[in-house]
């Protein structure tokens, strides 16, 4: 099986060889940063339609974590184009973090469409280093479709725990590796290297639930589901929340 996967991977890599050449020359990263927000905007619209009921379910108890100030302070990690805004409760104070500055103009549009929210600021930063955010300053941290592409899940989750106040919550929704010995997992392994290049560092085979369960949370509520998505490769999902 391993040899079959290797041969098929090689065949796929040959098909996308021009992209590997651009990456070798240092051009592909620039292209991704510049144009990936436009691609993500379209993909996110489709994802939101197909996952709307699950997102409403996930975020239904956000208000339960409102802090002493009486207003929910929420940080969205890897905010992208702001497609989660419509699921947040009115009056919520939102801080956005993303390493790609080209998302800002899409965020401005989303903010204009969700005026019931109180937008605080947009920080251009990697989730592994959010030093601009004070310790214990957030009631909630949200992370959707982000752990698949970060450099270090462990460092990000340490930062999440740092910025959350005691009793605050980390909400997540992520596509993950399929069950081993399934055809879906087989094709995830075959396509993973090319997928990583095409979709700005996204990994198909990450078992992200392990990182969440190992992090320093006092309580974790996590579910595995088969998401109602068009692309079968992305159907294995986890979602839930963890309390500091």
């Amino acid at each position: 099986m391993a040899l079959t996967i290797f041969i098929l991977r090689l065949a796929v890599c040959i098909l996308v060889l021009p992209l590997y050449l651009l990456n070798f020359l240092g051009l592909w990263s620039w292209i991704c940063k510049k144009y990936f927000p436009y691609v993500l905007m379209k993909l996110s619209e489709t994802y939101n339609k197909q996952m709307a009921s699950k997102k409403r379910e996930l975020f239904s108890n956000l208000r339960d974590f409102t802090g002493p100030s009486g207003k929910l302070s929420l940080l969205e990690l890897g905010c992208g184009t702001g497609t989660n805004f419509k699921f947040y409760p009115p009056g919520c104070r939102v801080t956005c973090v993303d390493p790609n500055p080209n998302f800002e103009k899409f965020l401005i549009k989303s903010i204009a469409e969700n005026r019931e929210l109180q937008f605080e600021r947009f920080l251009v930063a990697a989730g592994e280093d959010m030093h601009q955010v004070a310790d214990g300053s957030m009631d909630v941290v949200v992370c959707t479709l982000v752990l698949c592409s970060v450099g270090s899940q462990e460092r990000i989750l340490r930062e999440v725990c740092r910025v959350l106040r005691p009793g605050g919550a980390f909400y997540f929704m992520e596509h993950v590796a399929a069950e081993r010995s399934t055809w879906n997992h087989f094709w995830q392994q075959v396509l993973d290297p090319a997928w990583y290049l095409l979709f700005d560092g996204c990994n198909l085979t990450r078992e992200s639930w392990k990182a969440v369960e190992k992090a320093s949370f006092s309580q974790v509520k996590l579910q595995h589901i088969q998401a109602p998505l068009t692309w079968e490769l992305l159907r294995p999902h986890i979602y839930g929340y963890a309390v500091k």
Side-chain angles (χ1 to χ4, degrees), residues 23-209:
N23 191 51
F24 176 76
L25 296 173
L27 298 174
W28 184 244
S29 177
W30 178 86
I31 292 170
C32 280
K33 278 198 173 293
K34 185 75 174 175
Y35 295 105
F36 188 66
Y38 295 93
V39 175
L40 189 63
M41 180 180 66
K42 294 299 181 184
L43 294 177
S44 296
E45 287 174 0
T46 302
Y47 184 86
N48 256 8
K49 287 176 184 177
Q50 296 176 336
M51 295 294 287
S53 63
K54 289 298 180 185
K55 282 195 174 185
R56 281 193 292 269
E57 177 190 338
L58 174 63
F59 295 129
S60 62
N61 66 338
L62 277 174
R63 286 188 181 278
D64 294 350
F65 294 98
T66 302
S69 69
K71 281 196 172 185
L72 183 71
S73 293
L74 182 151
L75 182 148
E76 181 161 354
L77 183 59
C79 55
T81 58
T83 52
N84 285 329
F85 290 177
K86 65 171 72 175
F87 300 101
Y88 297 158
C92 176
R93 296 187 301 194
V94 180
T95 297
C96 293
V97 175
D98 201 286
N100 189 343
N102 294 303
F103 278 119
E104 187 169 13
K105 61 182 176 183
F106 296 96
L107 280 177
I108 291 169
K109 182 176 181 291
S110 293
I111 292 161
E113 293 170 351
N114 296 274
R115 294 188 180 277
E116 72 279 6
L117 303 179
Q118 183 179 332
F119 183 70
E120 298 285 290
R121 55 179 173 160
F122 171 55
L123 299 175
V124 178
E128 292 94 335
D129 181 13
M130 297 185 288
H131 64 271
Q132 305 98 317
V133 184
D135 295 3
S137 60
M138 294 293 160
D139 300 316
V140 167
V141 175
V142 172
C143 174
T144 61
L145 303 182
V146 171
L147 294 179
C148 59
S149 60
V150 298
S152 170
Q153 293 181 336
E154 291 74 19
R155 285 177 59 196
I156 281 214
L157 292 172
R158 280 200 299 270
E159 277 290 86
V160 167
C161 289
R162 180 185 67 78
V163 303
L164 279 173
R165 64 168 176 80
F170 169 59
Y171 282 74
F172 54 89
M173 178 177 282
E174 299 286 336
H175 73 84
V176 293
E179 288 187 35
R180 295 175 184 270
S181 301
T182 62
W183 279 111
N184 200 7
H185 188 251
F186 172 83
W187 286 110
Q188 284 180 337
Q189 291 180 86
V190 169
L191 296 172
D192 192 50
W195 188 277
Y196 179 89
L197 191 64
L198 284 166
F199 292 97
D200 200 24
C202 175
N203 294 269
L204 289 170
T205 56
R206 284 195 172 173
E207 298 174 329
S208 301
W209 64 89

